[in-house]
Amino acid sequence: MPTVSVPTPLRSQTGGLDRLELTGATVGEVLQDLAAKYPDLAGKIMEEGQVRRFVNLFLNDEDVRFLDELATPVAERDEIAIIPAIAGG
Amino acid sequence: MSVELVRGLRCRLCGKTFPQGPLNFCTEDFGPLEVEYDYEAVGRTLTRQAIESRPRTMWRYRELLPLDEGPTVGRHVGFTPLVKADRLADALGVSELYLKNDAVNHPTLSFKDRVVAVALSKAVEFGFRTVGCASTGNLAGSVAANAAAAGLDAYVLIPDGLEQGKVLGATIYGAKVIAVEGNYDHVNRLCSQIAFRYGWGFVNVNLRAFYAEGSKTMGFEIAEQLGWRAPDHVVAPMAGGSLIGKIYKAFHELETLGLIDPVTTKMFGAQATGCNPITQAVKSDAFKVKPVRRPNTIAKSLAIGDPADGHFASKLIRETGGHGEDVSDDEIVDAMKLLAETEGIWAETAGGVTLAVARKLIEQGKIDRDGSTVLCITGNGLKTQEALLGKVAQPVVIKPTMADFEALVGPEVEAHNLALV
């Protein structure tokens, strides 16, 4: 199953878990599964079905905005990382 | 400068407020945090007269900087020259042109000393002993130098392949400089993860809200040096997109305090074509800033493919009636030479970007030739020498004889000298 890694500040929403095993064939489907199982966490990173402006998702270290965004296909052993975007400059 | 002047931090997206602290972002939506002031309290002591009586550093605007105590780091930063650039104005065909010259900022010759002075003073207030940053070069040097002077340990993370002057300019201060394989966005992402794991003060991660406020002092100084007025146009280089917004915020705060007339300044953003996520969004009137996957430009200090403040910068440019443009590497080098040859100022590549974009916008009619225009020069050419290798004339070698010299300079110079007599 694909895994989603959770950044430290959001682990209070997952009972301390830093990696979640979820199902889905695309990034969007994995996030839907996440929303079903961890609605509070999903509320922090999603808004009206879209990833929030200052949240970035990486599929195996590649920003999904350079792939096919939420439609990006996800394989069984892929890892999605949630990374807060507001830093740098 | 006392604690009651700062109300706290506020999310720029949802408005949620937080007490001052080393926070990364809003806990509700990951939005960036902005320092909030009690302007009524600020206005009681921050008058034109009070400012003008204070030392000529960025701290003369201290009520609008988010420290609880006096600065402990970077006490001499700022108040760089605002140069009236008449020869360059003639070359560009504009009537009133100024250069805000942070190429000579103290101590590390870039505008980053402003943000670092605030961030590290705040780090000391919060009790951090180790500080760090993700940097395209100028910030690396500034964090390293100012941390050394303050006795703080520093970890400086940069993309590999930076200019030698930027790398040496950080390592000389004893900082732990780590070159990361990849571009700035890779470095930045790693720094965010490090900041979560270690209890360090990263100036542009968990101290970012305070850090960014330091950029306002460039705007305060521009307005004061113009005789307490905001210019008609400002052209600022954009990397993460923070500076342009903070300059405008500075003008707006001075207006709020009644220190200048209502602001009508148009803000213009400059990028290199090899890394133009923000200007591309402005030019195509796009709602979203699309990141650039592989930045490729000699303006390495501006090579941020995924600018954190890109959204706000593009919005500001549009709302003020300004515009954004980007320029090629050749145009950047030409502009560096033009600036040096007309005004005697050797800016780094980012300065070439700013001037080349200004020239383009003037030619396009986007910048009014009759208005007052300020170009923000944010870094020093000594640090980006590689960009000019093979692009400027080599010195001619002669024997130490008058015959050789005269053969070289020719009768033309001789005639000119005679005319002077």
Side-chain angles (χ1 to χ4, degrees), chain B residues 73-110:
Chain B
V73 183
R75 276 188 283 256
H76 305 285
V77 177
F79 219 79
T80 57
L82 184 74
V83 177
K84 185 137 194 299
D86 291 337
R87 278 172 47 76
L88 182 59
D90 282 348
L92 298 180
V94 296
S95 55
E96 193 183 353
L97 183 70
Y98 303 86
L99 304 166
K100 180 57 175 167
N101 189 13
D102 268 18
V104 292
N105 204 4
H106 178 86
T108 66
L109 309 175
S110 91

Side-chain angles (χ1 to χ4, degrees), chain A residues 44 53 61-62 65 88-89, chain B residues 27 184 204 208 211 293 306:
Chain A
K44 301 273 186 188
R53 186 182 292 281
D61 287 336
E62 182 65 282
R65 289 174 295 173
Chain B
T27 52
Y184 176 83
N204 49 0
R208 192 171 191 273
Y211 157 95
R293 190 179 196 173
D306 189 10

Side-chain angles (χ1 to χ4, degrees), chain B residues 53-353:
Chain B
S53 71
R54 293 174 182 172
R56 292 161 78 85
T57 73
M58 63 180 262
W59 301 106
R60 63 208 261 120
Y61 316 99
R62 61 192 179 218
E63 286 91 339
L64 291 170
L65 294 171
L67 298 186
D68 296 341
E69 307 294 334
T72 51
V73 183
R75 276 188 283 256
H76 305 285
V77 177
F79 219 79
T80 57
L82 184 74
V83 177
K84 185 137 194 299
D86 291 337
R87 278 172 47 76
L88 182 59
D90 282 348
L92 298 180
V94 296
S95 55
E96 193 183 353
L97 183 70
Y98 303 86
L99 304 166
K100 180 57 175 167
N101 189 13
D102 268 18
V104 292
N105 204 4
H106 178 86
T108 66
L109 309 175
S110 91
F111 95 101
K112 289 294 186 185
D113 288 323
R114 299 176 184 276
V115 285
V116 169
V118 175
L120 294 193
S121 290
K122 203 68 200 172
V124 170
E125 285 185 8
F126 286 141
F128 287 112
R129 297 298 312 152
T130 302
V131 296
C133 67
S135 174
T136 56
N138 281 322
L139 183 60
S142 187
V143 165
N146 286 294
L152 299 167
D153 290 332
Y155 283 82
V156 166
L157 284 84
I158 53 175
D160 63 349
L162 276 193
E163 301 95 337
Q164 192 66 32
K166 297 267 171 83
V167 178
L168 282 175
T171 47
I172 183 67
Y173 302 108
K176 290 164 193 75
V177 179
I178 301 165
V180 177
E181 289 175 17
N183 59 40
Y184 176 83
D185 299 302
H186 296 114
V187 178
N188 196 30
R189 187 181 151 201
L190 177 62
C191 281
S192 293
Q193 293 171 313
I194 294 170
F196 291 143
R197 186 74 57 88
Y198 297 83
W200 296 347
F202 268 82
V203 301
N204 49 0
V205 183
N206 53 354
L207 295 169
R208 192 171 191 273
F210 305 99
Y211 157 95
E213 287 290 286
S215 290
K216 290 191 310 189
T217 60
M218 200 166 185
F220 296 145
E221 290 173 18
I222 289 169
E224 182 183 350
Q225 289 168 316
L226 284 174
W228 296 108
R229 66 183 168 113
D232 297 320
H233 322 109
V234 170
V235 188
M238 300 188 296
S242 172
L243 173 66
I244 191 169
K246 292 295 179 176
I247 291 172
Y248 191 78
K249 183 183 179 188
F251 296 157
H252 188 70
E253 285 185 333
L254 294 178
E255 177 192 321
T256 300
L257 294 168
L259 300 181
I260 60 173
D261 288 339
V263 176
T264 55
T265 308
K266 295 178 178 178
M267 302 301 290
F268 296 86
Q271 294 203 296
T273 303
C275 184
N276 64 350
I278 307 175
T279 55
Q280 186 56 38
V282 171
K283 289 194 289 184
S284 61
D285 205 24
F287 178 66
K288 275 193 168 180
V289 174
K290 192 168 165 40
V292 169
R293 190 179 196 173
R294 290 193 184 85
N296 180 18
T297 167
I298 57 167
K300 296 185 183 193
S301 64
L302 303 182
I304 296 182
D306 189 10
D309 280 310
H311 165 69
F312 297 112
S314 66
K315 193 160 164 270
L316 173 74
I317 288 167
R318 283 179 260 211
E319 284 174 358
T320 60
H323 201 61
E325 252 310 345
D326 45 77
V327 286
S328 70
D329 285 355
D330 285 344
E331 290 173 296
I332 294 168
V333 171
D334 284 348
M336 290 170 77
K337 288 190 207 168
L338 178 65
L339 181 62
E341 290 170 6
T342 53
E343 296 297 334
I345 291 172
W346 185 13
E348 69 161 35
T349 44
V353 171

Side-chain angles (χ1 to χ4, degrees), chain A residues 27-28 31 51 55-74 79-81, chain B residues 290-291:
Chain A
V27 172
L31 290 180
V51 180
V55 176
N56 288 338
L57 297 179
F58 290 78
L59 179 69
N60 304 330
D61 287 336
E62 182 65 282
D63 192 325
V64 300
R65 289 174 295 173
F66 296 131
L67 303 170
D68 208 4
E69 309 227 5
L70 293 184
T72 306
V74 175
E79 179 171 327
I80 298 168
Chain B
K290 192 168 165 40

Side-chain angles (χ1 to χ4, degrees), chain B residues 12-52:
Chain B
R12 289 183 76 179
L13 296 184
C14 71
K16 183 172 177 172
T17 57
F18 301 84
Q20 284 195 68
L23 300 176
N24 296 281
F25 40 68
C26 173
T27 52
E28 294 303 311
D29 55 17
F30 294 93
L33 301 171
E34 176 116 12
V35 177
E36 266 210 317
Y37 300 86
D38 178 345
Y39 290 110
E40 206 183 310
V42 167
R44 280 183 215 127
T45 52
L46 196 67
T47 62
R48 285 188 191 181
Q49 199 181 13
I51 293 167
E52 286 166 357

